[in-house]
Amino acid sequence: MTAGWRSALIVAVLLAAPAGAQEVVESAAPRGPDLTLAGEPLVRIGIVDGPVEYIFGNVTGAVRLADGSIVVADEQSANLRRYDASGRHLWTSGRSGEGPGEYGGLWLVRGCAGVPVTVFDWQQDRSTELDVAGNVLATRSLVPLGAHPYGAPVCSPDGRLVFTPWPDDMGASYEEDLAEGDVYRWHTALVSVEGDSVVTLRSGIPGAERFFIQAGSSGPRDWGKDVEFTPVSSGVWYGTADDYELAHLDWTGRVTRVARWAGPDLTVTGERVDAYREAWLARYDDPEARRNFEREYWPDTRDQLPERFPAYEALVALPDGAFWVKTHAWLAPGEELHLLDANGAWLRRLTLPGGATVLDAGRDWVLLRQRDELDVPTVALYELSEVGG
């Protein structure tokens, strides 16, 4: 067991607490051994040159269907592509536009029961359902409901669409107290679309950290925290990424459980800051451009970095109510997925290669967005195995 991870599992259940109190689940060590990726993926999709259906520009999502096939959303080409379990292209659906089956922005929505593929157009605030052949079944605009998701929505097992909306004031209420470069955190809510109604489950949640530019203008903070969430059948797990802690809301908006567990140290070290600076410099081929970045931009970028990393940056629910928690990408040389059970107890840890983005996952597999040695975006499916197994 590595330093910083304790050796006992403690589950504190407040059975004698009054009605409305929360159950607190504290996990100090996993129940099972760590997991690792198989040496090679079962399938990798994405090439630098060749048939256009295998070339990606901007992969914004991918899901693995029940038959093992994979659907990939490529926002640059404004389409969805389905591949069989061996990676062979089956169909392409969609194009740029505003009509049915046309998209401006493209996010895949996970977990929509009874619908093979659901996509959300973030430019038009509209969801589209497709069958397994890529045909459009239905479209629905959220505009008449006044709903404007800030990030990608997620489906609950019973069909509700859950998301965090754009704040009404975009942080304007903070502006009178801010100077250029100041960091603030706006407040948001967790809402669900139920029929023709938008239901607020909880409001006043600390949302995205931003840095102030000028009145009416701000940007996301580098390594900034945000609210992360995932719906399950019993409600929604959510957290603000301040620490390794999540809360469970039932569908009435009541917090019924709090999960806490151990994780990597969140301190932003000089080593990590140096690595971040080098990553920025690597984007510039011209020596003068590199020098200009260090003179003109790096001081402000460095000063806006936090003293602590966000604890996590994504949650991925499984059909049985368990869920994966993805740690922040810059926390450690190896990124991690933590598996928590349906009650919030920590079960296992998976170390990921650096730079991987989790698109979909199960108990024994994970679907990642990666880049190859030529910086070509690819989608890769890996099986998981126990460390030392």
Side-chain angles (χ1 to χ4, degrees):
M1 192 70 62
T2 58
W5 301 82
R6 292 173 290 174
S7 59
L9 175 67
I10 304 171
V11 180
V13 183
L14 307 182
L15 296 176
Q22 305 156 2
E23 176 184 350
V24 179
V25 181
E26 295 192 13
S27 303
R31 298 181 190 173
D34 285 351
L35 298 172
T36 187
L37 299 183
E40 295 293 333
L42 286 174
V43 60
R44 183 182 296 277
I45 308 166
I47 57 176
V48 65
D49 192 19
V52 67
E53 58 265 27
Y54 295 97
I55 299 175
F56 299 127
N58 180 23
V59 175
T60 56
V63 294
R64 189 186 190 196
L65 303 185
D67 65 355
S69 63
I70 296 169
V71 177
V72 180
D74 186 75
E75 190 170 77
Q76 183 169 304
S77 54
N79 61 40
L80 305 166
R81 307 176 201 172
R82 185 182 174 206
Y83 304 85
D84 68 16
S86 68
R88 181 175 61 91
H89 178 260
L90 298 176
W91 50 253
T92 295
S93 175
R95 62 184 182 182
S96 295
E98 299 181 355
E102 298 177 337
Y103 310 103
L106 201 58
W107 286 333
L108 271 176
V109 182
R110 292 186 70 258
C112 298
V115 180
V117 181
T118 302
V119 63
F120 186 79
D121 187 331
W122 57 267
Q123 288 193 7
Q124 302 181 67
D125 286 330
R126 184 181 68 186
S127 63
T128 300
E129 298 177 350
L130 298 96
D131 65 18
V132 292
N135 301 308
V136 174
L137 297 174
T139 60
R140 183 183 189 189
S141 174
L142 298 184
V143 175
L145 303 180
H148 305 287
Y150 172 68
V154 185
C155 277
S156 68
D158 63 359
R160 310 178 209 218
L161 198 65
V162 180
F163 58 90
T164 56
W166 280 91
D168 291 335
D169 64 2
M170 290 289 292
S173 59
Y174 305 95
E175 290 183 353
E176 62 184 25
D177 300 319
L178 295 175
E180 183 178 351
D182 283 352
V183 174
Y184 68 98
R185 192 170 189 181
W186 66 29
H187 288 84
T188 187
L190 269 171
V191 304
S192 67
V193 176
E194 303 175 16
D196 293 326
S197 301
V198 177
V199 177
T200 299
L201 299 173
R202 175 141 301 220
S203 59
I205 301 172
E209 284 189 302
R210 313 277 294 183
F211 68 91
F212 181 72
I213 300 173
Q214 59 185 10
S217 179
S218 65
R221 184 184 196 182
D222 290 332
W223 298 345
K225 295 186 287 287
D226 200 353
V227 60
E228 305 295 342
F229 65 94
T230 190
V232 293
S233 60
S234 57
V236 182
W237 284 99
Y238 84 98
T240 58
D242 291 278
D243 213 328
Y244 298 102
E245 179 173 303
L246 294 167
H248 175 272
L249 293 175
D250 66 17
W251 291 113
T252 70
R254 182 174 64 95
V255 175
T256 63
R257 184 176 293 115
V258 174
R260 302 186 183 115
W261 71 100
D265 184 13
L266 299 176
T267 303
V268 172
T269 64
E271 180 181 5
R272 302 310 289 162
V273 173
D274 290 343
Y276 191 55
R277 171 178 162 272
E278 290 301 319
W280 270 100
L281 288 173
R283 304 179 188 187
Y284 301 99
D285 295 326
D286 177 50
E288 180 58 32
R290 291 166 63 91
R291 287 191 291 269
N292 184 60
F293 168 78
E294 294 208 76
R295 288 192 305 261
E296 302 296 330
Y297 297 101
W298 175 244
D300 287 341
T301 300
R302 179 193 57 215
D303 291 345
Q304 289 164 4
L305 297 178
E307 295 181 355
R308 282 166 56 88
F309 286 107
Y312 43 80
E313 61 181 16
L315 279 65
V316 180
L318 306 182
D320 62 2
F323 55 99
W324 290 101
V325 183
K326 167 70 166 58
T327 61
H328 191 267
W330 282 84
L331 264 178
E335 302 168 33
E336 296 181 358
L337 279 177
H338 297 172
L339 181 62
L340 278 65
D341 70 15
N343 294 314
W346 184 39
L347 299 177
R348 291 186 166 194
R349 173 179 53 182
L350 167 67
T351 300
L352 296 172
T357 298
V358 178
L359 301 172
D360 200 2
R363 284 272 185 167
D364 56 1
W365 58 271
V366 63
L367 190 62
L368 303 178
R369 183 182 65 207
Q370 297 177 294
R371 290 185 176 272
D372 67 11
E373 62 276 6
L374 298 176
D375 203 35
V376 174
T378 67
V379 174
L381 175 68
Y382 288 89
E383 288 185 307
L384 308 182
S385 59
E386 294 182 356
V387 173

